[in-house]
Amino acid sequence: MTSIQALERIAPRKAMIAGKCELIEFEYTRHGTLCLIGNFVVTTGALLRPTIGPTRTEIDFARHIAQTVAIDPEGSWVFVVDNLNIHGSESLVKLVAKACEVPPDLGQKGKRGC
């Protein structure tokens, strides 16, 4: 999830009174945006090890996956991701290869075949 706005209301809420709803001021101050990288446990829907930061780079995503796997290093992990470029980055491939004990000679990024 990208570009989550960090907002702050300008005025405090006005409490409910008999017969009226709570009043919330519509104006707010923006404090920039943040990037949320999170994992959902499929069986429970719980959010597991979210990472919130200013950027969404391949290093951020690889670090997030490493932190998630560190919860249970001997566990069997399955990550379902879309085709975003950071989800198939070189640093992530090297991380997964190391965890799966694949030989380190994986070729060069951007080159296919012999």
Side-chain angles (χ1 to χ4, degrees):
M1 192 176 211
T2 59
S3 300
I4 301 168
Q5 292 190 31
L7 305 175
E8 176 184 18
R9 297 286 174 188
I10 292 174
R13 296 175 181 218
K14 293 185 179 178
M16 290 190 297
I17 56 175
K20 296 207 173 196
C21 297
E22 177 183 40
L23 298 174
I24 302 172
E25 178 64 40
F26 68 92
E27 291 186 89
Y28 56 85
T29 302
R30 294 181 188 206
H31 295 290
T33 58
L34 295 172
C35 179
L36 168 67
I37 304 173
N39 303 321
F40 290 99
V41 180
V42 176
T43 54
T44 64
L47 183 62
L48 180 66
R49 290 298 291 202
T51 301
I52 299 174
T55 60
R56 180 194 68 189
T57 64
E58 74 174 76
I59 294 168
D60 295 329
F61 188 69
R63 185 180 303 128
H64 171 76
I65 295 298
Q67 290 172 350
T68 302
V69 171
I71 295 170
D72 184 8
E74 301 301 318
S76 177
W77 293 92
V78 176
F79 293 93
V80 179
V81 297
D82 60 9
N83 289 329
L84 187 64
N85 59 350
I86 64 171
H87 296 157
S89 66
E90 182 178 4
S91 55
L92 184 62
V93 169
K94 287 181 178 180
L95 176 76
V96 172
K98 182 179 178 184
C100 296
E101 299 176 356
V102 174
D105 184 23
L106 300 172
Q108 289 183 323
K109 183 177 179 179
K111 294 192 176 186
R112 297 178 182 209
C114 298

